[in-house]
Amino acid sequence: MTLSRVGVLGGGRMGAGIAHAFLMAGASVVVVDINPDPALERITRDVEKSIERGATGAAADYLSRLSCVTSASAFEGCELVVEAIPENFDMKVSAFKDIAEAAPHAVIASNTSSLSISDLAVTTPHPENVIGLHFFNPVPASKLVEIVVAETTAPALVDKARGWVSDLGKTPIVVKDSPGFASSRLGVVIALEAIRMVEEGVASAEDIDNAMVLGYKFPVGPLALTDIVGLDVRLGISEYLASTLGERFEPPALMREMVARGELGRKSGKGFYEYSD
Ligand code: NAI
């Protein structure tokens, strides 16, 4: 790994996974979170799991390169800081300011799943040093990272980012900063069409998913995946994409009705399927 010291802002579901990935690749990692204890627990668990699954070395050695703290000043000396706090533009702008103050020369990467990297970049003193690194959930098991290139991103940084992602054992794809990047834009449009097909009674949810799993070799059907992501989350994304890319992303009435009924997918026990666990 060419990076020796990496910062991660926000040690929640995604940030903890990102911190784990850089630790396993050999970097020292500083996680800053308003509540750092759960982040430390989550990363410790993930490192132990990786060892059980065959990673070489002792968990204590990996964890000796980790610190989880509350103050962004700990980012001093980091070459890269990945921001993974909640999906709120104003919060991220304020976080970028803190990162730039603590580590003026660091590359700042956002893990945002929908916000414009270009809009975030121009709020910093060095917009050429800002890029999107969109990891997938769960990070340890996901091989893909979208590198999102803002209008201001230095071309040399894109090459560097490709190298970092490869060092993590993941595959980078390079995408222009545009709504939904590549993955959400394509994934959501397929899900919306599948929901419209349920709405029109074309086939059952199970048969529509089987069409894609067995016919097109998708690892999971678009409706089952919508249950995993959460209907409310996908509704929010499709509303945003409809407002930016046009009405082909307009959420179907069935999706709105299900969200209003609290049928959010796995997390609520019911979505297109029922869940007992
Ligand atoms: P989360 O809610 O699990 O974690 C957010 C973390 O940030 C929490 O630990 C919280 O304590 C911390 N935090 C909040 N405000 C903070 C601040 N001002 N300073 C420092 N720490 C702060 O959120 P999650 O799911 O990890 O999402 C983070 C980002 O990743 C979002 O932008 C989201 O859109 C994006 N993302 C999420 C995916 C998912 O499947 N959950 C997938 C890909 C991207």
Side-chain angles (χ1 to χ4, degrees), residues 9-15 32-35 39 42 83-88 91-92 95 110-114 134-137:
L9 183 70
R13 176 182 286 266
M14 295 306 293
V32 173
D33 197 299
I34 44 176
N35 190 8
R42 207 177 258 150
E83 168 279 309
I85 62 171
E87 193 75 340
N88 177 292
M91 269 176 83
K92 289 193 195 272
S110 178
N111 185 53
T112 176
S113 34
S114 65
H134 183 212
F135 288 78
F136 286 73
N137 180 18

Side-chain angles (χ1 to χ4, degrees), residues 16-145:
I18 294 165
H20 166 262
F22 281 104
L23 270 184
M24 298 312 292
S28 292
V29 179
V30 181
V31 175
V32 173
D33 197 299
I34 44 176
N35 190 8
D37 292 345
L40 179 60
E41 280 165 28
R42 207 177 258 150
I43 300 164
T44 302
R45 232 178 15 243
D46 283 351
V47 168
E48 286 166 352
K49 249 189 239 162
S50 296
I51 307 278
E52 280 163 28
R53 290 181 183 155
T56 52
D61 291 338
Y62 289 98
L63 294 168
S64 68
R65 285 187 274 105
L66 171 70
S67 54
C68 294
V69 297
T70 51
S71 169
S73 61
F75 288 142
E76 190 183 347
C78 286
E79 299 141 279
L80 165 70
V81 178
V82 184
E83 168 279 309
I85 62 171
E87 193 75 340
N88 177 292
F89 184 78
D90 292 338
M91 269 176 83
K92 289 193 195 272
V93 169
S94 151
F96 272 40
K97 187 166 169 282
D98 295 343
I99 297 169
E101 273 171 20
H105 305 295
V107 169
I108 306 180
S110 178
N111 185 53
T112 176
S113 34
S114 65
L115 300 173
S116 161
I117 303 295
S118 303
D119 289 352
L120 288 169
V122 294
T123 69
T124 70
H126 291 289
E128 70 281 8
N129 283 348
V130 176
I131 197 163
L133 285 180
H134 183 212
F135 288 78
F136 286 73
N137 180 18
V139 180
S142 302
K143 289 285 172 208
L144 177 67
V145 178

Side-chain angles (χ1 to χ4, degrees), residues 164-242:
W164 297 335
V165 172
S166 301
D167 288 345
L168 299 179
K170 301 190 187 293
T171 301
I173 61 168
V174 176
V175 185
K176 188 175 90 171
D177 183 26
S178 57
F181 311 139
S183 56
S184 301
R185 181 166 170 171
L186 208 46
V188 165
V189 86
I190 292 170
L192 294 178
E193 200 55 33
I195 297 168
R196 277 190 276 271
M197 287 163 69
V198 175
E199 197 172 57
E200 292 167 19
V202 172
S204 66
E206 199 171 8
D207 284 351
I208 292 167
D209 276 348
N210 274 337
M212 303 315 283
V213 172
L214 303 176
Y216 283 79
K217 299 197 168 46
F218 278 31
V220 55
L223 297 165
L225 185 60
T226 301
D227 275 1
I228 293 170
V229 174
L231 273 84
D232 51 337
V233 174
R234 283 212 144 165
L235 176 62
I237 296 171
S238 50
E239 281 173 337
Y240 171 69
L241 293 181

